[in-house]
Amino acid sequence: MRSAIFVDAENIERAGARLMRYGVLRRFVEHLGSVVVLARTYLAFDRERELCDDAFRRGKEGFRFAVERAGFETVLTVVRRFRRPDGTTVSRANADSEIIVDALFDPSTFDFVVLVSGDGDFVPAVNALQRHGKRVDVIGFEATSHALRQVASRFHNGFAVPGLVPTH
């Protein structure tokens, strides 16, 4: 069975898995009986902050290098800032549409999808992949959407996967 892994990095970071170990994730998926043919993680890229904060930039570059060393492609989503009517600034780097397009673009290259996210916005994409005969497992952490858990072929609690996130 050929598998594709799609990691919504910003979502899982907010869900308490900031230090997820990508090599462990890949081995876990392989242990499920598949050969990983595609592994991507979608990361926010704050160009403005990386240009003016060297420590922040070095930390992000180090993280991206570690993810790539674990065999994952990195897809960068540029952070955009918006000013609300009340004057506050909001930052957004939403990779959902990129993940969905990548997962649905050529599903003939894989039989099995592992989506690492808790975002309920993925429910229609999971349904579409399943209509194409794909198994879609979800690995989620805190606050994973109930609807996403329900439509997944199988839901895996990321905190229950041995070694996936540090426990200290």
Side-chain angles (χ1 to χ4, degrees):
M1 180 167 41
R2 298 163 302 154
S3 63
I5 305 170
F6 298 99
V7 179
D8 183 356
E10 304 310 312
N11 179 272
I12 63 167
E13 182 176 321
R14 287 188 310 272
R18 188 176 71 83
L19 300 174
M20 185 178 76
R21 295 178 175 132
Y22 282 78
V24 172
L25 171 61
R26 189 179 185 100
R27 288 189 297 279
F28 175 74
V29 173
E30 290 167 346
H31 182 73
L32 293 174
S34 70
V35 174
V36 176
V37 296
L38 177 66
R40 288 190 180 141
T41 188
Y42 299 78
L43 304 164
F45 176 64
D46 192 337
R47 182 184 328 257
E48 184 178 312
R49 186 162 176 205
E50 287 197 25
L51 284 172
C52 67
D53 184 339
D54 285 338
F56 178 80
R57 180 185 45 75
R58 283 192 304 274
K60 291 295 186 178
E61 286 174 346
F63 178 72
R64 291 188 294 260
F65 178 73
V67 168
E68 290 169 357
R69 197 173 55 238
F72 282 75
E73 295 175 43
T74 55
V75 178
L76 303 180
T77 303
V78 176
V79 171
R80 294 173 296 170
R81 289 177 174 75
F82 304 94
R83 184 166 300 279
R84 290 184 174 161
D86 67 2
T88 60
T89 301
V90 178
S91 299
R92 298 263 189 234
N94 190 342
D96 294 3
S97 59
E98 291 179 54
I99 294 170
I100 291 167
V101 168
D102 287 352
L104 293 171
F105 183 75
D106 189 7
S108 66
T109 59
F110 47 82
D111 313 296
F112 171 39
V113 172
V114 176
L115 173 64
V116 185
S117 181
D119 191 337
D121 290 344
F122 288 109
V123 168
V126 170
N127 286 328
L129 286 162
Q130 290 170 333
R131 282 192 304 274
H132 281 50
K134 307 302 175 191
R135 172 179 159 187
V136 182
D137 283 14
V138 171
I139 298 175
F141 297 91
E142 293 176 8
T144 297
S145 157
H146 179 72
L148 185 59
R149 290 175 190 247
Q150 293 299 321
V151 299
S153 302
R154 184 168 179 200
F155 175 76
H156 306 270
N157 182 328
F159 292 120
V161 175
L164 186 59
V165 290
T167 56
H168 36 264

